[in-house]
Amino acid sequence: IDGKTGIITTIAGNGKREFSGDGGPGDKAGLDGTAGIALDGKQKKLYSTGFSKRVRVVDLETGIIETVPGLPGGRCVAVDSKGRIYVGKGETVNVLEPGKKTPRVVLDAENAKPPLGVVAMCVDRNDHLYLADMKSQTIRRYEPDTGKLTVLAGSGKRGRGGLNGPALAAELADPHGVCLHPTTGIVHFADSFNYRVVRIER
């Protein structure tokens, strides 16, 4: 959707639930249950993932769609300024680094306490990864250079209380979409079953 004109344009997907179209125009390709999308750091490529167990990428200059080789799909995808492609699927977050053919696990049930249930992700200007975690009812931040995983919001209890107080004391109900404001960097997310959009004030 063009924010200035309000015009909506199809970038990928022919309206049929199928897997097809690699090497051709994105709007002629079949997608299978798209669940997550993300732009790369230069905003020239759009990545998508869903139920086809693949990650697709559309070159926004040429309109051509391809499958990212070697990277399994998932519920959500995020791409940082270094070209690292993250895919979240439940209790696992994989990353495919530039020049690599095989992804590696950066977070899973073994090293994430409490357990993960990742349904949405985004990155900030420092290439930190933000996770909407439906299983632990939290918003978390992962720092790839140190491996540090921090809870930013959510007490861990599913509920509605604690709004307008400390972020770590707030009760959430299945947080989903998470994003950062482009100028302030403030974290926003959908507190889905509380039917509200929440932000974490600094």
Side-chain angles (χ1 to χ4, degrees):
I1 301 173
D2 188 309
K4 294 181 179 179
T5 66
I7 301 298
I8 187 169
T9 306
T10 298
I11 296 172
N14 59 12
K16 298 178 182 178
R17 185 170 178 176
E18 60 185 20
F19 176 80
S20 65
D22 269 4
D27 59 355
K28 305 298 183 183
L31 304 179
D32 185 12
T34 300
I37 60 172
L39 289 167
D40 72 341
K42 297 180 180 179
Q43 297 192 344
K44 292 185 176 181
K45 293 183 178 181
L46 178 73
Y47 292 79
S48 68
T49 185
F51 304 118
S52 64
K53 298 182 180 179
R54 301 174 178 90
V55 175
R56 313 288 291 279
V57 56
V58 180
D59 186 312
L60 296 179
E61 293 183 341
T62 66
I64 300 300
I65 189 170
E66 300 282 1
T67 295
V68 178
L71 187 60
R75 179 68 179 266
C76 50
V77 61
V79 186
D80 71 11
S81 67
K82 295 181 175 65
R84 293 179 289 204
I85 308 170
Y86 294 91
V87 174
K89 184 179 181 180
E91 294 184 349
T92 305
V93 176
N94 289 283
V95 64
L96 182 64
E97 297 172 298
K100 302 290 185 179
K101 295 182 179 180
T102 304
R104 63 182 177 88
V105 175
V106 293
L107 289 171
D108 60 16
E110 294 291 325
N111 59 15
K113 305 296 182 185
L116 286 173
V118 180
V119 293
M121 300 188 299
C122 69
V123 294
D124 67 11
R125 297 169 186 168
N126 297 314
D127 291 331
H128 297 155
L129 186 67
Y130 291 74
L131 311 169
D133 189 336
M134 191 171 68
K135 192 167 187 177
S136 68
Q137 306 297 336
T138 60
I139 300 296
R140 301 206 244 183
R141 180 179 62 215
Y142 171 72
E143 300 175 24
D145 293 337
T146 64
K148 185 179 181 181
L149 184 63
T150 305
V151 175
L152 301 180
S155 66
K157 180 181 178 182
R158 192 177 193 274
R160 189 173 175 81
L163 207 63
N164 299 317
L168 294 178
E171 296 173 355
L172 307 178
D174 296 359
H176 275 64
V178 59
C179 66
L180 277 70
H181 190 282
T183 55
T184 66
I186 291 176
V187 179
H188 292 70
F189 62 93
D191 189 11
S192 61
F193 281 94
N194 282 325
Y195 308 104
R196 62 192 184 190
V197 174
V198 179
R199 64 186 180 196
I200 305 173
E201 294 284 5
R202 292 177 174 173

